[in-house]
Amino acid sequence: AKYPHARIYNHYGPTEAVVGSSWFEVSGSAEVRGGGMLPIGRAMENTTLYVLDEQGGLQPPGVAGELYIGGAGVAKGYVKREALTAERFVASPFEAAERLYRTGDRVRWRNDGALEFLGRLDDQVKLRGFRIELGEIESRLHALPSLREAVVMVRGEESRARLVAYVTPASAVE
């Protein structure tokens, strides 16, 4: 409101595929006026965005799927993490010699051609800018012989959010 002529853009992109993989012009958008979630938008130059189903088929507008990113900015993989690299960086079924990055983000195309973020397909969360796999923390807790069950989640408002673990001891505490 203070700078009505300013153009503001929302950029989306994981580190594995150059942080700016897509863009959406925020200025004057209905989402901002209505308080809704901003779309991920459209692909940046030299980037391709695909919404695929579980079998790798393209999803039409309005149908949810996983976001795959291709193009010049896709990384080669994770250092010394071959299994994770093979899981997340896959051959493109659409372009010879192109690799795609599986984001784990659930999205769908809108009728206006912009991508809409719907959530995660796994239990990854972001806390103060760090990507955290809750399942990894839970598996470490489950490895402790003194615990029978463990669940980890993010609790609290964004500015004061924290990781919390709820555990059940293996035997009754006296």
Side-chain angles (χ1 to χ4, degrees):
K2 189 171 181 178
Y3 301 98
H5 300 295
R7 295 178 77 176
I8 301 168
Y9 295 89
N10 178 40
H11 283 225
Y12 161 91
T15 304
E16 293 88 345
V18 179
V19 176
S21 296
S22 69
W23 64 275
F24 176 78
E25 186 169 358
V26 176
S27 310
S29 72
E31 289 81 9
V32 172
R33 291 190 301 275
M37 183 176 281
L38 292 175
I40 290 173
R42 293 167 174 74
M44 299 286 278
E45 192 171 324
N46 296 320
T47 302
T48 52
L49 304 176
Y50 301 99
V51 180
L52 305 180
D53 63 18
E54 291 177 359
Q55 290 75 41
L58 289 170
Q59 296 289 67
V63 179
E66 183 174 358
L67 175 60
Y68 286 67
I69 301 174
V74 174
K76 294 185 186 316
Y78 300 108
V79 175
K80 298 182 182 178
R81 307 265 327 254
E82 291 79 18
L84 186 58
T85 295
E87 176 187 325
R88 288 293 179 185
F89 294 87
V90 298
S92 172
F94 312 109
E95 291 281 329
E98 180 181 41
R99 288 168 31 99
L100 303 178
Y101 172 65
R102 297 182 59 196
T103 66
D105 288 336
R106 189 168 174 264
V107 299
R108 69 177 165 211
W109 289 111
R110 298 184 343 171
N111 287 333
D112 65 1
L115 270 179
E116 182 176 34
F117 178 77
L118 301 173
R120 292 287 301 166
L121 293 167
D122 56 17
D123 63 356
Q124 184 186 91
V125 296
K126 257 196 166 172
L127 183 62
R128 290 190 272 290
F130 292 97
R131 286 191 279 176
I132 301 168
E133 298 283 348
L134 298 178
E136 289 182 9
I137 299 169
E138 289 172 356
S139 72
R140 296 288 181 144
L141 291 172
H142 286 124
L144 298 173
S146 60
L147 297 180
R148 184 176 68 214
E149 298 174 309
V151 175
V152 179
M153 60 182 59
V154 176
R155 302 289 288 181
E157 303 273 333
E158 278 188 39
S159 63
R160 302 183 72 187
R162 62 194 182 283
L163 282 179
V164 177
Y166 295 95
V167 299
T168 304
S171 60
V173 178
E174 302 196 25

